[in-house]
Amino acid sequence: MVASAELSAAPILTATSNGAGALSVTPGQTVDLHIDLSGLAAELTVSAGYEVRFSVAGLGYQSYVWTLPFASGAGDDLSDPVLASLPAVIADDLFGSAGSLIDVHFDNFASSGGVGNGTLTTLTLEVPIGFPTPSAVVVDVVPGEFVFDDSPFAETPATGPSFVLNVDSAGAVVAATLRAVQTPTSPERGMLPDGITTACFGGRVYVEAWVSQIDGGAAGIAAGSLDLLFENAVTTADAIDHGGIFQGAATGTIDNAAGLIDDLGGATTTPGVGVTPEWALLGRVVMSATAVGTATFTLAHGGVGFSLADGQGPLNGDSLVSLGQGQSVTVTQVQQIGDTDCDQDVDLDDFARFHACADASDPLGDPPLPTECTLVDLDSDGDVDRHDFAILQVRFGIASD
Amino acid sequence: MMTYVTNRTRRAYDRLVVSLRAGWICGAAFQDILDSSARVLANR
């Protein structure tokens, strides 16, 4: 006999952070928001559709993952935005319809089995630097229809209490974050660069540490250091570049065996460096992609901490220095000629690398072609010139399947 | 814009699959429902 939905336990869908209904964070921090289902007896969730609504716009929506056996970003996952289009900024026009709700949608079907009580989906959100403080972001889950494995009827779970994300910069003085980039960022003060998510085997990756004073003061950052952790199975650190700002008392040692850049940093006598919303480059690490795989880079507090131009310091630890989330880069073999960043197309990014390398190339090979330019030497003759451009021109606009 | 909380077509199909797996309907009935749905959609 088929059990009716009415006889089932009453499921409840709730947004939490590790089970808590509220969390306090500082700008620059990353939060995992869990969408939890409770109140189930023995039945399993097989099909789920719901919205997550935010009271204000502006959070960075980095990624999401469904609890297995639900697939994430593939198969029956019809969530919107889809995983492939993340990261994105949560805004009322995320779906191209300005003025609508500030929300994201989840929709999935488990091709076998299902999920019981516990976390159904986990969203990774980043509170961007510059997010208004203090503020409270109220997050509500609006369940749609669910299908459980004990009934042929659809059922709509009840809604749990709202989740509140309190954003307050009190305490945090310095924000630090990293960006993996294809070419060294210039200028070294200003906006954060966009990070890359792909790189070619044998190519270069520059991992940059950026810092900003976020406590409302205007003195600027005078000195500081950070540790940078990386996957030594996929990438190798070749050199440290302190950039043009924090050149005094420069520190930083490469430990490839441990996957660590220890105390990357330096000092400057220039006042007002990195006062929010400005970011300043603390230093960068020149890395080679030495294997196919995923390289994850993360920041950790250095041994020295930070000091400001007005004498404040040392500032160290999570309460004073807010570390941004890590970044992953997928390293693959070159699949097609001209795709110099292995993002499966030949576009303006590839032309930008060609342009930079053509300027640096010597036709006689003296000095030799820099490592980061070997992927642009499309005819493999040791330089980057008009012959390579001719090849790039023909390939331009090609995208792989 | 598709509103997923009211995406009943998707959920209806999922319910059919769950019913088939659980043995609440047989394969022939499942196919018949799918064929009927396809005819309805084709005549819209």
Side-chain angles (χ1 to χ4, degrees):
Chain A
M1 177 180 163
V2 173
S4 77
E6 287 72 24
L7 294 178
S8 303
I12 303 171
L13 199 62
T14 312
T16 76
S17 179
N18 292 311
L23 186 68
S24 294
V25 295
T26 56
Q29 284 190 317
T30 300
V31 179
D32 277 346
L33 183 70
H34 300 99
I35 308 302
D36 295 338
L37 197 59
S38 59
L40 297 179
E43 67 269 35
L44 298 175
T45 306
V46 178
S47 176
Y50 63 92
E51 290 182 7
V52 179
R53 293 181 181 168
F54 298 83
S55 62
V56 295
L59 291 178
Y61 184 19
Q62 303 300 112
S63 67
Y64 67 81
V65 60
W66 285 82
T67 298
L68 293 172
F70 285 102
S72 300
D76 287 303
D77 182 8
L78 298 182
S79 302
D80 198 356
V82 294
L83 194 58
S85 63
L86 299 180
V89 175
I90 293 177
D92 62 3
D93 60 351
L94 194 57
F95 299 100
S97 51
S100 64
L101 294 167
I102 304 166
D103 59 352
V104 293
H105 294 182
F106 293 91
D107 192 295
N108 212 340
F109 176 72
S111 54
S112 65
V115 172
N117 286 320
T119 298
L120 186 61
T121 322
T122 302
L123 290 70
T124 302
L125 305 169
E126 183 181 29
V127 183
I129 300 298
F131 196 86
T133 58
S135 59
V137 182
V138 180
V139 182
D140 286 306
V141 186
V142 182
E145 290 187 336
F146 279 54
V147 180
F148 302 101
D149 67 349
D150 67 338
S151 166
F153 302 106
E155 190 174 351
T156 300
T159 306
S162 299
F163 174 79
V164 181
L165 184 67
N166 294 302
V167 183
D168 199 334
S169 62
V173 178
V174 173
T177 195
L178 62 77
R179 286 290 186 274
V181 292
Q182 180 176 299
T183 53
T185 304
S186 179
E188 296 176 349
R189 291 176 65 174
M191 300 280 286
L192 276 177
D194 292 330
I196 57 172
T197 57
T198 61
C200 291
F201 171 72
R204 276 262 189 260
V205 177
Y206 295 87
V207 183
E208 299 182 334
W210 292 78
V211 293
S212 181
Q213 182 186 355
I214 59 169
D215 66 342
I221 296 170
S225 73
L226 294 165
D227 290 349
L228 192 155
L229 291 78
F230 61 96
E231 309 281 341
N232 57 4
V234 180
T235 50
T236 299
D238 297 323
I240 291 174
D241 172 8
H242 291 281
I245 303 171
F246 293 96
Q247 291 188 323
T251 58
T253 52
I254 296 173
D255 185 347
N256 275 316
L260 170 70
I261 308 298
D262 192 32
D263 281 335
L264 170 66
T268 180
T269 54
T270 305
V273 169
V275 175
T276 190
E278 179 187 85
W279 288 85
L281 179 77
L282 181 66
R284 64 170 67 89
V285 182
V286 185
M287 312 203 75
S288 297
T290 50
V292 170
T294 299
T296 301
F297 307 100
T298 51
L299 287 177
H301 297 291
V304 183
F306 283 82
S307 59
L308 303 184
D310 61 4
Q312 273 194 76
L315 310 166
N316 213 352
D318 283 335
S319 60
L320 295 172
V321 179
S322 173
L323 300 179
Q325 70 166 12
Q327 191 181 339
S328 293
V329 174
T330 302
V331 178
T332 58
Q333 297 276 5
V334 175
Q335 298 290 321
Q336 52 186 314
I337 295 171
D339 179 14
T340 63
D341 52 5
C342 284
D343 65 347
Q344 313 305 318
D345 59 28
V346 182
D347 60 6
L348 282 174
D349 292 332
D350 302 299
F351 174 74
R353 175 171 284 192
F354 166 82
H355 192 266
C357 289
D359 286 347
S361 175
D362 184 287
L364 299 177
D366 184 19
L369 204 58
T371 301
E372 61 266 35
C373 293
T374 54
L375 292 169
V376 199
D377 180 13
L378 302 177
D379 58 1
S380 301
D381 66 347
D383 61 19
V384 176
D385 58 10
R386 59 195 169 87
H387 300 293
D388 302 296
F389 180 68
I391 297 171
L392 185 70
Q393 203 172 15
V394 172
R395 304 285 302 172
F396 196 82
I398 291 175
S400 65
D401 295 333
Chain B
M1 182 186 83
M2 183 180 284
T3 304
Y4 288 103
V5 287
T6 57
N7 189 354
R8 291 173 182 271
T9 305
R10 165 74 186 267
R11 220 58 61 199
Y13 180 80
D14 293 353
R15 289 164 55 198
L16 277 177
V17 175
V18 168
S19 300
L20 181 67
R21 279 186 202 160
W24 297 323
I25 61 171
C26 65
F30 178 73
Q31 191 59 53
D32 188 45
I33 293 168
L34 288 185
D35 291 345
S36 300
S37 301
R39 280 196 297 274
V40 169
L41 290 173
N43 290 330
R44 275 189 173 175

